[in-house]
Amino acid sequence: MDLYLGIDFGTSGARAVAIDEEASIQAEVRYPFQDSIGAVMPNSWQEALLALVEQIPQGLRREIKAIAINGTSSTVLLVDAAGNPVDTPLLYNDARGSSVLEHLRNIAPPNHTVLTATSSLAKLFWMKKLPSFREAKYFLHQADWLAFLLHGQLAISDYHNALKLGYDVEELKYPEWLQKLQIEVQLPKVLSPGTPVAELRPEMANKFGFRSDCLVCAGTTDSIAAFLASGAKLPGEAVTSLGSTLVLKLLSRTRVEDARYGIYSHRLGDLWLTGGASNTGGAVLKEFFTNAELENLSREIDGSIASELDYYPLLKVGDRFPINDPNLPPRLSPRPDNPVEFLHGLLESIARIETGGYELLQQMGADKLTHVYTAGGGAANDTWTAIRERYLKVPVIASTHTEAAYGTALLAMGNT
């Protein structure tokens, strides 16, 4: 029996799913980060990766034919010639790149995907000022580095992760304006997601009992992996990931790109996954409520009745989409004494932001929204689903599979 392993690195921890040739799950394991620092430290990533592999039953490890990894989009790091990180990585939502945006605007085409404070290229330009930059040889994404730990090939990426670095996913090459920059570190070679890169390092195969011909494939980003897992396949079908943040992806025959609104399109075969990501989402809810409180209080909300509270729920200043404004202030008042009313207002406000996002994508030329699949922790909240359906005015259904690791396992199998 051939198995395929998908590994997902998110903000709160890592997960792995092994599937068979029928795409049925044979094993599912997880490794939570102990604290928020774990999410940003490469040694924690490596620890998580090895712990996940070890949790998969030994008998199944011997059957794994291919592995793929996803990471959070635009989580990046600098490494030396041996692949060792030379400084702390910058996470997906790190906006320090805002200080170099003016410089980038003089280089990149107008409204290009890289022209946001959190893009990989903006982060690279910010990193150039670090003393550690002199030690750096390669610039990698989180998924690139984790895959390197498995296959040993440095500077290999995929066109999903490389999009916000400026890679041209239509022409499948780095554009001329980017090549002219003569950046002092090496940018990764870019492959199609799911492309076999190399066999697993012999020492890894021996240590964990993998077959010697187990392949490690080019990966993807967490939100695209969640889309692949969802079951959405037709233009007009969309996936909302309700995780720590709110990520929208709408399958379209038309490519939509506009950095003014934080909108970009990923290539998916002959179609385009157009979308954006907002900083609102589950992380804001967890700031005020435990998981048990979210579950219990949600049951007391009537999702068919609109809340009168109008929030813009953010943990800190700034959003990316549908409003792209690094100075956008959070709006979380007035806060009622009744926690049910407060939660109702938060859920409703996030649903409004989601709806605004899909409306904007369609205004920009994407296919008309027909269905929304939901992934992430929020997918299990029936009250929130009812509220969202009231706003979106299309069927809202839980994804067939909600784990991004499952979508990455499909990628390893070549079933995308």
Side-chain angles (χ1 to χ4, degrees), residues 233-255:
K233 286 185 172 66
L234 302 171
E237 294 184 334
V239 172
T240 296
S241 292
L242 292 173
S244 301
T245 58
L246 175 74
V247 182
L248 311 188
K249 297 266 184 253
L250 172 59
L251 204 50
S252 173
R253 285 164 290 208
T254 310
R255 183 183 183 185

Side-chain angles (χ1 to χ4, degrees), residues 161-175:
N161 272 295
L163 178 78
K164 294 180 190 174
L165 183 53
Y167 186 78
D168 187 333
V169 292
E170 207 148 17
E171 298 292 328
L172 297 179
K173 62 180 186 181
Y174 283 110

Side-chain angles (χ1 to χ4, degrees), residues 192-362:
S192 297
T195 304
V197 175
E199 289 178 350
L200 195 62
R201 284 177 173 185
E203 60 269 32
M204 287 289 288
N206 293 336
K207 181 179 179 182
F208 293 104
F210 283 96
R211 51 203 264 185
S212 59
D213 64 346
C214 176
L215 291 168
V216 183
C217 304
T220 184
T221 63
D222 55 344
S223 59
I224 293 203
F227 188 94
L228 296 175
S230 71
K233 286 185 172 66
L234 302 171
E237 294 184 334
V239 172
T240 296
S241 292
L242 292 173
S244 301
T245 58
L246 175 74
V247 182
L248 311 188
K249 297 266 184 253
L250 172 59
L251 204 50
S252 173
R253 285 164 290 208
T254 310
R255 183 183 183 185
V256 179
E257 301 272 334
D258 200 322
R260 288 175 303 173
Y261 304 105
I263 294 173
Y264 53 91
S265 289
H266 279 286
R267 187 179 188 137
L268 204 66
D270 296 330
L271 296 172
W272 295 95
L273 253 191
T274 182
S278 169
N279 293 335
T280 194
V284 184
L285 300 178
K286 287 187 176 177
E287 181 75 9
F288 300 104
F289 303 101
T290 64
N291 285 339
E293 285 169 340
L294 284 171
E295 206 174 305
N296 295 329
L297 296 172
S298 292
R299 287 198 199 103
E300 296 183 45
I301 297 169
D302 184 345
S304 66
I305 296 171
S307 164
E308 290 176 16
L309 296 166
D310 181 17
Y311 299 140
Y312 203 104
L314 297 170
L315 286 181
K316 56 183 183 181
V317 168
D319 202 7
R320 303 172 278 166
F321 167 86
I323 299 170
N324 189 20
D325 179 0
N327 301 310
L328 186 73
R331 194 167 69 248
L332 290 161
S333 60
R335 181 174 172 179
D337 295 332
N338 184 338
V340 176
E341 283 177 35
F342 183 46
L343 178 59
H344 190 179
L346 290 172
L347 295 178
E348 191 114 356
S349 298
I350 296 171
R352 265 196 297 273
I353 294 168
E354 178 188 9
T355 304
Y358 282 123
E359 284 172 351
L360 183 57
L361 293 176
Q362 291 166 94

Side-chain angles (χ1 to χ4, degrees), residues 29 40 79 85 95 98 129 153 176 182 200 214 227 252 293 299 339 353 415:
V29 296
V40 79
V79 302
S98 58
K129 301 173 187 173
Q153 308 290 311
E176 227 171 278
Q182 296 179 318
L200 195 62
C214 176
F227 188 94
S252 173
E293 285 169 340
R299 287 198 199 103
I353 294 168
N415 187 11

